[in-house]
Amino acid sequence: MKKIALALGGGGARGLAHIGFLRVLEKENIPISRVSGCSMGAMIGGVYCLYKDVDKVEEEAYNFVNHPVFREFNFDDFAAMDKRADDWKSKALNVMGRIKVGLSLFKTLAHPSIYEADLVDQIYNNYPDAPIENLQIPFTATTNDILTGEEVIINKGSLRLAVRASSAIPGYLPPVKYENYLLVDGGVSNLVPTHCFRKNSDELIIGVDVSQPILESEEPKSGVNIIQRAESIREYHLVKLKTLNADKVIRCNLNGISWADFSSMDEIIKYGEKTAKKLMPWIKKNIE
């Protein structure tokens, strides 16, 4: 029987869908040989490789996003920008969100990130740590060196440091110093890191993509909309290019949930379960 080499993609809150995806694999006793992760995919994948227990992963994720300091980051303001404004209340929230986000981004003119390192330290101190070499499942986190542009793959040393570097969203969270590198989010170069795996006749390489789909769009109404749209297009083409080695890349349909909507955690996890169940007939057919 073949095993699964699983690449868990980045996507902010949307990456919480990986919990549901892993729950179905665990329930169906699908063997996982290796895990690579980008950003939130690294955060979820790293804890799973440590405990090999989805319930424990969900508990850790819940504690992380409900940490008092994490709540101070006000990701709801970013999420409000992505919501359709069909009534006066949602329009008001959308406008207020844009104003708050604009003021936050103004801070980056004089600082490396919106959120300061000491606040980020307080959150990540609650993320479990262990040497990556000692995890129950081999794990790799993808990051990028902001100094050289080099992609840096971390598969040894501190799990907490690797995950923090892989999820350091440029401009939002401060870069992470590691050896001679200054590391930021792995999604800068690739959201779904199947390229971490070499082809192996005993494995199926599967990538789980939780990024926003590229659908036909109305004409953008603002520069912010254009920037967001352009970024989504870039991500889409990067994923296509860098997952050519995968046996399967499945996109998780999250019904337009924002990357910043951590309040929808339970709903997002259920979407992950639906995605895994959809893929399960293909997995069972091909691992035999």
Side-chain angles (χ1 to χ4, degrees):
M1 176 182 287
K2 293 184 178 182
K3 295 183 178 181
I4 302 297
L6 189 63
L8 302 179
R14 294 166 64 89
L16 295 168
H18 297 314
I19 298 172
F21 195 93
L22 287 165
R23 173 164 285 125
V24 174
L25 294 187
E26 188 176 278
K27 183 178 180 181
E28 296 287 345
N29 295 313
I30 303 298
I32 299 175
S33 57
R34 296 182 286 171
V35 174
S36 66
C38 168
S39 200
M40 182 59 79
M43 186 174 293
I44 300 301
V47 180
Y48 185 74
C49 290
L50 175 63
Y51 296 120
K52 212 173 178 180
D53 181 341
V54 173
D55 289 338
K56 186 65 176 175
V57 175
E58 184 171 2
E59 178 185 341
E60 292 286 356
Y62 182 85
N63 291 337
F64 192 91
V65 302
N66 285 284
H67 190 285
V69 176
F70 187 88
R71 288 185 171 275
E72 288 181 20
F73 285 5
N74 295 322
F75 279 109
D76 288 346
D77 294 333
F78 295 91
M81 292 175 58
D82 295 333
K83 292 181 179 178
R84 289 189 59 181
D86 295 327
D87 55 65
W88 71 268
K89 184 177 181 181
S90 58
K91 287 180 180 178
L93 290 173
N94 185 283
V95 171
M96 289 173 62
R98 289 176 185 276
I99 293 173
K100 290 180 180 178
V101 169
L103 292 173
S104 297
L105 292 173
F106 187 75
K107 181 180 178 180
T108 61
L109 294 175
H111 298 84
S113 59
I114 295 174
Y115 306 113
E116 297 176 3
D118 61 338
L119 291 178
V120 180
D121 287 342
Q122 292 180 49
I123 297 173
Y124 277 93
N125 284 341
N126 291 294
Y127 186 89
D129 198 15
I132 294 176
E133 303 91 319
N134 295 346
L135 302 185
Q136 296 192 58
I137 300 173
F139 172 72
T140 298
T142 60
T143 68
N144 289 272
D145 181 19
I146 201 67
L147 303 177
T148 65
E150 176 185 355
E151 183 176 57
V152 179
I153 293 175
I154 303 179
N155 54 18
K156 61 181 180 180
S158 166
L159 173 63
R160 181 184 296 160
L161 183 144
V163 167
R164 179 168 174 176
S166 184
S167 55
I169 307 171
Y172 293 83
L173 304 180
V176 174
K177 292 183 179 180
Y178 171 76
E179 297 181 351
N180 295 323
Y181 303 115
L182 192 60
L183 301 178
V184 296
D185 196 300
V188 169
S189 61
N190 183 23
L191 279 172
V192 187
T194 64
H195 66 296
C196 292
F197 305 133
R198 291 187 176 181
K199 280 284 188 180
N200 185 328
S201 60
D202 295 327
E203 290 180 325
L204 293 174
I205 298 176
I206 296 177
V208 185
D209 184 3
V210 294
S211 63
Q212 291 278 10
I214 301 299
L215 304 175
E216 187 173 348
S217 173
E218 298 178 356
E219 183 176 342
K221 298 295 192 298
S222 70
V224 172
N225 293 141
I226 293 173
I227 291 170
Q228 290 175 324
R229 179 71 175 171
E231 180 67 10
S232 295
I233 293 171
R234 181 192 68 84
E235 291 174 352
Y236 171 78
H237 287 290
L238 266 177
V239 169
K240 283 188 66 176
L241 180 65
K242 289 206 165 185
T243 57
L244 293 175
N245 69 318
D247 294 291
K248 176 74 75 173
V249 176
I250 186 164
R251 179 179 291 277
C252 188
N253 179 13
L254 289 159
N255 199 29
I257 292 176
S258 169
W259 70 271
D261 191 2
F262 290 93
S263 64
S264 297
M265 179 174 176
D266 293 340
E267 182 182 359
I268 293 170
I269 291 173
K270 289 178 181 177
Y271 278 120
E273 292 176 359
K274 290 179 181 178
T275 302
K277 289 175 181 177
K278 177 182 176 181
L279 186 62
M280 198 52 57
W282 182 90
I283 291 179
K284 290 183 175 180
K285 177 182 176 181
N286 286 279
I287 63 174
E288 295 295 338

